[in-house]
Amino acid sequence: MTCELTVRVVPRAAKAGVAGTRDDAILVRIGAAPVDGAANAELLETLGRALDLPRRAITIVSGSSSRTKRVRVEGLSREAALQKLGVTA
């Protein structure tokens, strides 16, 4: 099973985690600044923890230098991923 999710990243947040949705994208707050890939790395770690998946199961498909990204999740259906993240489609 594989699914793709649209994620909106908020860098330099006080607390990392999934914070609902915004404009049909899952809002993810991370503490890292968008410098040298640190924000992307923390995004993958944060999603991995939230989805209970290893980091290697989550990849950024597009938007690596943008706040809005497409993320591929291996091992979960879209419905299961959204349920684990606590958001609705």
Side-chain angles (χ1 to χ4, degrees):
M1 264 183 281
T2 301
C3 69
E4 286 191 9
L5 304 172
T6 302
V7 176
R8 175 80 178 170
V9 178
V10 179
R12 296 185 190 104
K15 184 177 178 186
V18 178
T21 59
R22 181 184 294 167
D23 299 329
D24 296 327
I26 300 163
L27 189 64
V28 181
R29 300 183 190 278
I30 57 173
V35 178
D36 297 329
N40 287 340
E42 187 174 340
L43 170 66
L44 297 177
E45 290 174 18
T46 300
L47 287 175
R49 280 193 306 271
L51 294 170
D52 195 29
L53 290 172
R55 182 175 166 180
R56 69 181 178 276
I58 304 165
T59 55
I60 297 173
V61 177
S62 66
S64 62
S65 61
S66 170
R67 286 184 184 222
T68 303
K69 305 175 187 302
R70 294 286 298 163
V71 177
R72 178 176 293 129
V73 178
E74 301 283 338
L76 288 176
S77 67
R78 179 174 173 78
E79 294 76 23
L82 292 175
Q83 183 178 11
K84 284 190 172 206
L85 293 173
V87 297
T88 58

